[in-house]
Amino acid sequence: METAVTALSALAQETRLAIFRALVRAHAPGEGEGGLAAGEIAAALDVAPATLSFHLKELLHAGLIDQRREGRSLIYKADLTAMLGLTAYLLEDCCQGACGTLSPCAPGSAIMPEKECV
């Protein structure tokens, strides 16, 4: 739960969410591929370098992005495995384990149209 709270807190800020989304768009599946240099992110989002550095640190701390060095540049890449893990955690108990079934308490169910799952 602590990891999920940290990740969600990191994304609950407009600039960090924009950074993460930009890195998702620049994603490539291979190791050492894809991502954006800090300068590219700053230019694309019109964020001051010092401000960007702070937000990148928060996303790194939350485990949502990775960084690698290419020459003199730091390249940042979205960690999609971490995001998939967060999503899986959030949906873990979806529908009380009845996802994809005709649960009698599903809203609009022909069996019990007025009852909702709690």
Side-chain angles (χ1 to χ4, degrees):
M1 184 178 294
E2 186 177 322
T3 301
V5 169
T6 301
L8 291 169
S9 294
L11 292 173
Q13 198 282 337
E14 189 175 311
T15 302
R16 288 193 289 269
L17 183 58
I19 292 167
F20 186 80
R21 289 176 49 88
L23 293 175
V24 167
R25 286 190 296 274
H27 189 77
E31 187 76 25
E33 297 176 351
L36 296 170
E40 293 174 301
I41 300 168
L45 301 178
D46 194 27
V47 176
T51 302
L52 179 68
S53 178
F54 169 78
H55 290 305
L56 289 170
K57 179 184 66 78
E58 291 297 311
L59 290 167
L60 281 164
H61 173 72
L64 294 169
I65 64 173
D66 295 315
Q67 84 179 27
R68 69 179 187 277
R69 182 169 291 283
E70 283 186 8
R72 294 177 52 203
S73 297
L74 289 175
I75 307 297
Y76 295 89
K77 185 174 178 179
D79 186 338
L80 298 186
T81 302
M83 181 51 76
L84 289 172
L86 175 61
T87 304
Y89 173 77
L90 293 172
L91 299 176
E92 192 171 87
D93 298 319
C94 172
C95 309
Q96 298 176 5
C99 284
T101 65
L102 294 176
S103 172
C105 64
S109 168
I111 300 169
M112 299 182 111
E114 299 302 317
K115 186 173 180 182
E116 291 184 18
C117 293
V118 179

